[in-house]
Amino acid sequence: MTPHTRQRPLQAVLFDMDGTLVDTERLWWEAVEQVAGRPLTEADQPDVLGRPVEHTAAWLGTATGRPEADLAAELHHEFAARVRTGIVPRPGALDLLDALAAAGVPAALVTASPRAVADVVLDALGADRFAASVTADDTTRTKPAPDPYRAACRALGVDPAACVAVEDTETGVASAEAAGCAVLAVPSLAPIGTAPGRTVRDSLTGVTLEELRRMVTPELRVMSWNLWLGGSEVDDHRAKQLKVILESGADVVGLQETGGTAAQELAEALGWHHHRAGENLGVISRHPITARFGDPDVGFYGAAGVRIAVAPGHEVDVWTAHLHYTPYGPYEAAFDGLPAQELIAHEELRLAQMRDALARIAESSAEGVPVVLVGDFNCPSHLDWPDVAWPVTKAAEDAAFADSYRDAHPDPAAEPGHTWSPIHPVHEDGSGRPEPQDRIDYVLHRGLTVRDARTLVTGSPRPWPDVADNDWPSDHAAVVTTFALTRT
């Protein structure tokens, strides 16, 4: 399957020049060798690669005793002469610039070379390809200081965190990252290591706009869904489940009531990764699963989790939980008229199950890794009932979990967010009593930012028991939350 990704819109791509867009690093290396009067070695790289002329001239001046101004002029002359006769675009550079132009994404040139040299390169590449250019002449400090990339962002009117900088040296990478940009590193002469928020490629060949978009602050769409006995009450349920997941745009789905095989079958059909725990719980993810948590043989009720690698520098733990369904608080409140104190007391079993899940989450958590806890808790939220401090959701809140639906829709009267039940308008005991509608399915989070949260039911499900032909293959609504991930 083609990955479905969402993120902060890519506002601009900022390109280093020497060694990144054009093959001038070797020309610069040759020019420095000519002026130095000797072959350069790997030990010389920190004072040559990605450095402005003034730095390299000062370095040569220390070694040779010659005036820095004379050395800088000679370096300018030797390098410019080579650029005019030997400029060669790096593989994939022109194709990427064309793709950006076609998509309306502005490009900028950000170089530690002087304006005179940059203008020669701009003429060779086509100055109209670039909406702005920043050279060593345009800022007080140049790379590795963040000033050049900040200046380019100001010139374009864009947010550095929504930009990708393309660099070929550690010096340039340091400058771009200090400015707050995501970085695509394409080393030319010296290797560059991986790091959070940084992608390393051998070449610009094949780099796509979608890949660049994924490098800026990514989003993760998480769905919680009780499949209702695996979906077995509805005809052709597996195909209908797949359709729902695809149309939801979910990246990861925490499942309950999987009927044993649903997680694996759905993941295989989607080309996703999966984790199955016991006969009831599962997680499927378009992103790679790097770790699995909890008891793999968990019973019908309990919790299980995974760690997923969303993007370079971004991991998230996702847990799915299913808590016992009886006694059911909304029935006791609506049908039996129990007071708040008794309703809370009857949550003892679910509260113990939630505490067990929270303990397992605490045991597996890693510093800097956000956590999402989804599930069918079979109980209302203390955020929804003004007169009942439901202890299960309160326990999660006390463990620093926020309720994503209430983050997005803080008024329970205006946006109740009911998930139980789209197929039960009346109680199924035949009494004709209205079924209490409530929010008992959740996407909780710790360490993320909520962009959007909603409940999901497709079509117009017919009520129980006439459900076999329903397009919606569950007795619960799903919950779908879109999170923004910040860099770790």
Side-chain angles (χ1 to χ4, degrees):
M1 304 294 299
T2 301
H4 177 88
T5 55
R6 295 155 313 283
Q7 58 288 309
R8 177 188 312 198
L10 176 65
Q11 294 182 359
V13 180
L14 316 174
F15 290 91
D16 171 58
M17 185 179 76
D18 302 327
T20 301
L21 280 178
V22 291
D23 194 7
T24 54
E25 285 288 6
R26 295 185 187 279
L27 302 181
W28 172 244
W29 190 264
E30 292 169 4
V32 177
E33 285 186 324
Q34 177 67 30
V35 175
R38 65 172 177 84
L40 300 180
T41 69
E42 184 176 343
D44 300 316
Q45 289 178 353
D47 291 297
V48 177
L49 296 183
R51 292 293 188 174
V53 172
E54 290 73 18
H55 176 94
T56 304
W59 169 70
L60 287 174
T62 300
T64 64
R66 295 177 57 191
E68 292 180 19
D70 292 348
L71 289 165
E74 191 173 349
L75 286 168
H76 276 304
H77 174 77
E78 291 292 340
F79 183 51
R82 286 169 170 79
V83 168
R84 291 188 183 95
T85 58
I87 188 170
V88 177
R90 297 284 291 169
L94 296 183
D95 289 340
L96 181 54
L97 286 168
D98 289 342
L100 293 171
V105 177
L109 189 73
V110 183
T111 178
S113 294
R115 171 61 63 183
V117 173
D119 285 345
V120 173
V121 174
L122 285 169
D123 287 343
L125 294 176
D128 59 338
R129 296 179 186 272
F130 300 91
S133 61
V134 175
T135 73
D137 301 336
D138 300 322
T139 57
T140 303
R141 299 184 302 172
T142 189
K143 304 174 186 179
D147 303 35
Y149 280 102
R150 289 176 178 168
C153 290
R154 286 195 300 271
L156 295 173
V158 297
D159 180 357
C163 298
V164 174
V166 186
E167 275 284 355
D168 74 309
T169 66
E170 288 279 9
T171 301
V173 167
S175 172
E177 290 181 343
C181 301
V183 170
L184 171 60
V186 187
S188 56
L189 293 179
I192 298 174
T194 59
R198 183 189 308 169
T199 301
V200 181
R201 290 278 300 264
D202 293 333
S203 167
L204 291 178
T205 301
V207 173
T208 65
L209 189 59
E210 187 61 32
E211 184 177 356
L212 295 175
R213 284 177 172 146
R214 288 197 297 268
M215 292 177 195
V216 298
T217 305
E219 290 181 350
L220 181 71
R221 185 168 292 174
V222 180
M223 179 175 176
S224 180
W225 199 14
N226 183 313
L227 295 182
W228 190 20
L229 302 175
S232 57
E233 298 292 332
V234 177
D235 295 340
D236 200 20
H237 55 272
R238 193 69 79 233
K240 293 175 180 177
Q241 291 165 350
L242 288 167
K243 185 173 185 290
V244 167
I245 292 169
L246 285 171
E247 291 181 351
S248 75
D251 298 302
V252 57
V253 185
L255 301 168
Q256 309 90 42
E257 294 196 32
T258 60
T261 61
Q264 180 175 348
E265 291 176 9
L266 289 169
E268 289 176 350
L270 292 165
W272 288 13
H273 309 270
H274 80 281
H275 172 50
R276 168 181 171 176
E279 296 300 312
N280 179 44
L281 295 173
V283 179
I284 61 174
S285 170
R286 69 174 69 251
H287 299 296
I289 292 174
T290 60
R292 291 168 168 81
F293 308 122
D295 180 3
D297 299 318
V298 63
F300 191 79
Y301 298 107
V306 299
R307 180 165 295 160
I308 58 175
V310 179
H314 299 286
E315 289 185 313
V316 178
D317 289 352
V318 180
W319 285 75
T320 181
H322 192 203
L323 309 185
H324 206 286
Y325 78 101
T326 187
Y328 186 54
Y331 289 168
E332 294 186 318
F335 300 154
D336 304 330
L338 295 188
Q341 185 175 354
E342 290 188 53
L343 294 173
I344 292 170
H346 290 180
E347 292 295 312
E348 182 177 352
L349 174 57
R350 277 185 290 271
L351 181 58
Q353 292 171 336
M354 173 57 78
R355 285 172 172 164
D356 178 72
L358 293 172
R360 292 178 184 274
I361 290 170
E363 183 180 355
S364 66
S365 293
E367 184 177 356
V369 178
V371 184
V372 179
L373 170 60
V374 313
D376 170 12
F377 296 173
N378 272 309
C379 64
S381 170
H382 68 288
L383 300 176
D384 297 352
W385 288 52
D387 300 326
V388 183
W390 297 102
V392 172
T393 54
K394 188 65 170 61
E397 182 179 83
D398 291 344
F401 280 93
D403 185 325
S404 68
Y405 189 84
R406 281 288 160 252
D407 281 352
H409 310 284
D411 185 351
E415 297 283 351
H418 295 154
T419 61
W420 181 265
S421 163
I423 66 164
H424 288 294
V426 298
H427 195 49
E428 62 180 349
D429 65 357
S431 65
R433 295 177 293 180
E435 177 76 1
Q437 302 296 304
D438 221 307
R439 190 169 69 99
I440 63 173
D441 299 82
Y442 301 89
V443 177
L444 310 182
H445 71 99
R446 188 171 68 199
L448 295 168
T449 300
V450 175
R451 289 255 173 96
D452 176 65
R454 60 192 173 97
T455 58
L456 176 64
V457 176
T458 58
S460 300
R462 284 181 289 277
W464 175 263
D466 186 24
V467 298
D469 292 331
N470 279 350
D471 289 331
W472 183 253
S474 178
D475 56 349
H476 287 246
V479 184
V480 182
T481 298
T482 302
F483 294 106
L485 281 68
T486 57
R487 294 196 191 107
T488 56

